[in-house]
Amino acid sequence: MNVLIVEDEVPAAEKLERYLAKYDTDIKVLEKLTSVAVSVKWLNQHQDELDLIFMDIQLIDGKSFEIFEQVSIQKPIIFITAFDEYAIDAFKVNSIDYLLKPITFDDLSQALNKLEGLKKNFGSNAKPAIDLSQALAQLQQKTYKTRFMVKLGEHIRSIVADDIALFYAEGRDVYLVTNERRKFIIDYKLEELDEILDPSLFYRANRSFITNINAIKDVVVYSNSRLKISPSIDLDKEIIVAREKVNAFKEWFNGL
């Protein structure tokens, strides 16, 4: 199976590629693209080589729906996004599934299994039929981790997600910081937290920080078109949103 990945976050694209290889070593990723403009050009030249497209919705130069205004895409698409508000628009085009970030290997497997089922029932060239109400119901069923166990001396405590201001990595350790400025080392990597935290509540600003939206005191424009987040707790570190993530952060911060 030949696959195209349209995703502007490099770590997300690389993770998806790893999951695809884990699912089936015969899957070949032909290209990883990051923008509407480049995707339009590539699809005009190479769409016939494809079997499947994975597509993020928010790209560096606009929303991926703009691609469909310029290219007639006849291949099945699996959308991947942090925002469920685009589900209805996604199913108006040739979509077979809509996965919410952070995706898991199980999410991907279910979507690919659905594609295989559609091929068996309707043939490889048939346009997939989507039950929109069922798809939206599946989005609403996704659950996220709501509490974390931490050690306090010889004692253990349970901290609910709403009480967590942020997570950050330092060396090999990952810290959970509460709204009361208490700090605990936890047995998770930031990549793992990306998989289990509610994306409407938490956002990974960069390689070192995941912040709770309710613990953001201020956001200011920083150098080189980046953003600087000021948390509501005292912190002796800077939280800088990388330039390539600024648009996605704004949409998340705005509640889109």
Side-chain angles (χ1 to χ4, degrees), residues 74-77 93-96 115 118 122 125-130:
Q74 303 301 320
K75 304 297 180 177
I77 301 163
V93 295
N94 207 17
S95 171
I96 66 163
L115 175 61
L118 288 168
F122 302 106
N125 295 323
K127 183 172 181 177
I130 295 297

Side-chain angles (χ1 to χ4, degrees), residues 1 48 55 60-61 63 69 74 87 89 94 128 130 135 146 159 162 176-177 185 187-188 197 210 219 234 238 251:
M1 181 190 295
D48 290 343
M55 189 174 287
I60 58 175
D61 60 346
K63 293 184 177 62
E69 298 172 2
Q74 303 301 320
D89 289 331
N94 207 17
I130 295 297
T146 59
I159 299 177
D162 287 341
L176 177 159
V177 184
I185 294 179
D187 294 326
Y188 289 91
L197 290 170
I210 296 176
V219 179
D234 293 332
E238 289 189 333
E251 294 226 5

Side-chain angles (χ1 to χ4, degrees), residues 14-247:
E14 292 176 343
K15 182 173 77 171
L16 176 56
E17 189 170 18
R18 290 195 301 271
Y19 282 171
L20 289 169
K22 181 178 178 181
Y23 180 86
D24 186 345
T25 55
D26 289 332
I27 293 177
K28 181 179 180 181
V29 176
L30 297 185
E31 192 62 83
K32 297 192 289 288
L33 309 177
T34 61
S35 70
V36 171
V38 173
S39 297
V40 168
K41 182 178 180 180
W42 194 94
L43 285 164
N44 276 325
Q45 297 175 351
H46 304 287
Q47 183 176 175
D48 290 343
E49 303 169 24
L50 287 174
D51 298 299
L52 175 64
I53 303 171
F54 286 90
M55 189 174 287
D56 189 9
I57 288 180
Q58 183 64 57
L59 303 175
I60 58 175
D61 60 346
K63 293 184 177 62
S64 58
F65 299 124
E66 297 172 30
I67 297 172
F68 298 89
E69 298 172 2
Q70 304 174 63
V71 183
S72 176
I73 297 179
Q74 303 301 320
K75 304 297 180 177
I77 301 163
I78 296 175
F79 282 97
I80 299 175
T81 180
F83 310 104
D84 61 8
E85 286 81 1
Y86 298 119
I88 293 177
D89 289 331
F91 290 121
K92 290 178 181 177
V93 295
N94 207 17
S95 171
I96 66 163
D97 216 333
Y98 185 101
L99 305 180
L100 282 179
K101 291 181 178 180
I103 67 166
T104 65
F105 179 70
D106 285 342
D107 294 332
L108 177 68
S109 297
Q110 290 174 16
L112 291 173
N113 289 341
K114 178 190 293 186
L115 175 61
E116 292 304 314
L118 288 168
K119 285 181 178 179
K120 289 179 182 178
N121 291 327
F122 302 106
S124 59
N125 295 323
K127 183 172 181 177
I130 295 297
D131 184 339
L132 180 57
S133 61
Q134 181 182 11
L136 292 176
Q138 290 174 350
L139 293 176
Q140 296 170 353
Q141 290 172 1
K142 185 158 186 175
T143 59
Y144 301 96
K145 191 168 180 63
T146 59
R147 59 180 63 245
F148 289 82
M149 186 184 72
V150 299
K151 292 186 66 176
L152 186 61
E154 297 300 317
H155 304 274
I156 60 174
R157 298 285 187 270
S158 181
I159 299 177
V160 298
D162 287 341
D163 291 336
I164 299 171
L166 54 87
F167 300 87
Y168 73 90
E170 189 172 70
R172 294 187 175 182
D173 295 324
V174 172
Y175 293 87
L176 177 159
V177 184
T178 71
N179 294 325
E180 297 177 346
R181 302 177 180 84
R182 303 192 75 172
K183 184 169 68 173
F184 304 93
I185 294 179
I186 58 174
D187 294 326
Y188 289 91
K189 297 179 181 179
L190 289 187
E191 290 76 14
E192 294 171 326
L193 292 172
D194 257 346
E195 299 277 357
I196 59 178
L197 290 170
D198 184 349
S200 69
L201 189 64
F202 291 93
Y203 187 84
R204 187 168 182 181
N206 53 43
R207 294 178 63 184
S208 300
F209 282 92
I210 296 176
T211 184
N212 187 328
I213 192 168
N214 296 315
I216 295 177
K217 180 175 65 176
D218 194 15
V219 179
V220 297
V221 177
Y222 200 61
S223 63
N224 294 324
S225 301
R226 297 176 295 171
L227 298 175
K228 180 178 179 180
I229 298 173
S230 297
S232 57
I233 61 172
D234 293 332
L235 189 71
D236 59 352
K237 305 175 186 298
E238 289 189 333
I239 306 177
I240 307 298
V241 180
R243 181 170 51 188
E244 64 271 15
K245 301 189 71 173
V246 165
N247 288 337

